Amino acid sequence: MRVGVIYGNGIGPEITEATLKVLEATGLPFEWVPVMIGDEAYDRFGHPLPQDAVELLKELKYAIKGPFIVNKMKGRLSCVHKDGSEAIYPSLNNAIRRELNLFVCPRPIRGVPGISGAYEDFDVVVMREITEDVYAAIEHSIGNDAAECVKLTTRKAATRLAEFSFEYARAHGRKKVTCVHKANAISITDGLFLTCFREVAERYPDIESDDVMVDAAAYYLVKDPKRFDIINTSNQYGDILSDLCAGLVGSLGLAPGGNIGTEVAVFEASHGAAPDIAGKGIANPVALILSGAFMLRHMGFVREAQIVEESTRSVLSAGKDLTPDLGGSGTCMGLAGMIARKVKETL
Ligand code: ATP
């Protein structure tokens, strides 16, 4: 039960600590293995993502990850591999995903009774592609007055994503997968993405499928979210729509996620490092706690995963010790402590 732990920065260390506490309450024999990435790694090894850390994560196979602050306009990062090859990434968060060959980020976002108001029945999984699109870091300046960015889309990645979405639907009893794109305006690139989706959909006649333009999807998520079950979408649309979903259910602090590859999986909240509230002890740990539950499910500990999820939802619905983003005056560790107690009681 060795699991990697990447603490991140900003609110990362506090929400990670809170999450480990809740996961330990399940009684499973975890051995947490800290993986040094970020500022500390930069100070010690001269690079925020040393290749040894990548190798360690590949060996561990599972990790919990806190977010990293990405400085605007300074995020780009070059990783030189042991065979001398080089890859450029737009940010450290992106580099971790791609160095580990993680290709899909499912973000299951659910409303919570007593917290999410009109959206308490909200239940949508945003299935975000995470290897290409405009986050492939293929961009450059053209003199001082222009710049361009490539929206990379390949048959391989679009097909792999769609297959994952339909398999996930079958495995989790979901009824429908909706492809979200903008193939009317970006007809070749998003057109290929949609074509691959439709080809895969034909192989899954038991699962309903359709497609919606990304602007309309934003509108329908607010007006009629029940028309969605799983949203299969590209990197940037998935990034934006999952924050929208988090806002609808009440807070970015409620939206979990996982980055899944064929061999390694890293579980992290949808939100960033929230530097505005870092170090105050008031960050909402729920998104990362639910990401931890997602990890348990992925590892095959379905009962423990369910207990963590239900305990979290019941503590939130009770409305005590909520963090300020949910309208309370509680603390990160206070809320995690309540959830950990509930997990132990239920067990
Ligand atoms: P990124 O681009 O990495 O997603 P960002 O700067 O765009 O980062 P976040 O760091 O996610 O955005 O923060 C957006 C807002 O949401 C901030 O006001 C932040 O305080 C709030 N927020 C994010 N996560 C949490 C959390 N866990 N608890 C409370 N508030 C949060």
Side-chain angles (χ1 to χ4, degrees):
M1 295 291 290
R2 294 174 83 223
V3 171
V5 181
I6 305 164
Y7 284 90
N9 57 22
I11 59 170
E14 50 198 287
I15 59 171
T16 305
E17 211 53 64
T19 298
L20 302 192
K21 186 181 170 99
V22 172
L23 293 179
E24 281 165 9
T26 62
L28 291 168
F30 288 111
E31 183 195 332
W32 306 121
V33 182
V35 183
M36 202 191 287
I37 290 176
D39 295 341
E40 225 184 323
Y42 185 81
D43 292 344
R44 274 192 61 184
F45 308 110
H47 197 283
L49 181 56
Q51 286 301 300
D52 286 347
V54 173
E55 292 308 317
L56 177 58
L57 286 166
K58 284 184 180 166
E59 182 196 317
L60 292 167
K61 298 200 180 328
Y62 295 100
I64 292 283
K65 173 183 171 293
F68 284 103
I69 297 168
V70 176
N71 292 323
K72 291 181 187 75
M73 294 185 277
K74 287 188 192 152
R76 276 169 87 86
L77 186 72
S78 148
C79 289
V80 178
H81 307 126
K82 290 190 171 153
D83 64 3
S85 60
E86 185 192 11
I88 310 237
Y89 303 111
S91 70
L92 177 56
N93 293 313
N94 182 289
I96 296 169
R97 291 177 187 145
R98 287 173 54 201
E99 285 286 296
L100 294 168
N101 300 317
L102 310 176
F103 65 86
V104 56
C105 176
R107 291 179 164 170
I109 300 164
R110 281 180 74 187
V112 182
I115 297 277
S116 307
Y119 294 94
E120 67 176 37
D121 294 330
F122 190 96
D123 186 4
V124 173
V125 182
V126 177
M127 208 63 85
R128 173 183 169 195
E129 203 286 328
I130 50 172
T131 66
E132 45 188 43
D133 195 15
V134 289
Y135 300 159
I138 312 171
E139 57 170 351
H140 58 247
S141 299
I142 307 169
N144 287 332
D145 300 323
E148 66 183 1
C149 176
V150 172
K151 184 173 164 70
L152 178 69
T153 302
T154 64
R155 178 173 285 283
K156 181 181 169 199
T159 302
R160 183 172 58 179
L161 173 76
E163 285 170 349
F164 189 93
S165 293
F166 283 98
E167 287 295 330
Y168 185 100
R170 275 187 182 161
H172 293 81
R174 298 259 171 186
K175 305 270 175 289
K176 180 177 170 189
V177 183
T178 301
C179 182
V180 170
H181 60 87
K182 187 74 181 173
N184 57 346
I186 313 170
S187 56
I188 297 176
T189 314
D190 276 12
L192 175 63
F193 187 81
L194 178 58
T195 300
C196 295
F197 173 81
R198 286 182 172 156
E199 284 168 5
V200 173
E202 278 183 17
R203 288 192 259 131
Y204 294 84
D206 51 317
I207 308 286
E208 199 188 327
S209 66
D210 66 357
D211 69 276
V212 177
M213 233 70 81
V214 64
D215 44 350
Y219 176 76
Y220 288 130
L221 275 167
V222 176
K223 294 290 275 186
D224 184 17
K226 282 205 161 51
R227 66 176 288 155
F228 297 107
D229 192 346
I230 293 178
I231 288 179
N232 175 98
T233 194
S234 54
N235 207 341
Q236 187 180 34
Y237 304 151
D239 188 13
I240 297 167
L241 291 182
S242 53
D243 270 26
L244 170 64
C245 295
L248 293 176
V249 299
S251 171
L252 270 172
L254 298 176
N259 302 290
I260 315 284
T262 42
E263 279 159 29
V264 185
V266 175
F267 295 83
E268 66 176 333
S270 296
H271 59 74
D276 51 336
I277 55 165
K280 296 183 180 164
I282 55 164
N284 183 346
V286 164
L288 195 57
I289 291 171
L290 292 176
S291 307
F294 189 5
M295 178 181 78
L296 295 180
R297 198 177 282 279
H298 198 73
M299 290 170 136
F301 298 108
V302 176
R303 176 172 170 257
E304 286 81 356
Q306 263 164 1
I307 290 174
V308 172
E309 284 158 4
E310 290 316 316
S311 301
T312 305
R313 293 172 69 76
S314 114
V315 167
L316 289 174
S317 293
K320 282 199 211 128
D321 275 322
L322 298 180
T323 43
D325 58 304
L326 299 176
S329 55
T331 63
C332 178
M333 286 314 280
L335 183 55
M338 297 270 288
I339 298 170
R341 264 195 299 283
K342 184 79 188 166
V343 168
K344 283 187 187 153
E345 263 171 43
T346 314
L347 278 163

